[in-house]
Amino acid sequence: MPLRLRTSLGELSFLSTTMVFGTPVDVTLAELAIETFLPADAETAAKLRQLGAMQA
């Protein structure tokens, strides 16, 4: 699922990916899910690297 955000750096584009772990019989892992947002294009990746360098 695409996600676009307007920020002070400009528009950032992300792809969302969701992973669900466990099986219906495994109660401890039945509700565990991880959602990750990855840069959808090279421009967004470059802006995120720039932001990371500013934070360091």
Side-chain angles (χ1 to χ4, degrees), residues 14-49:
F14 296 93
L15 294 176
S16 172
T17 249
T18 303
M19 296 179 67
V20 178
F21 296 92
T23 61
V25 294
D26 189 356
V27 176
T28 58
L29 293 178
E31 298 295 322
L32 181 62
I34 297 175
E35 186 171 14
T36 304
F37 293 93
L38 304 169
D41 55 29
E43 184 180 340
T44 296
K47 288 178 182 179
L48 290 175
R49 280 193 293 275

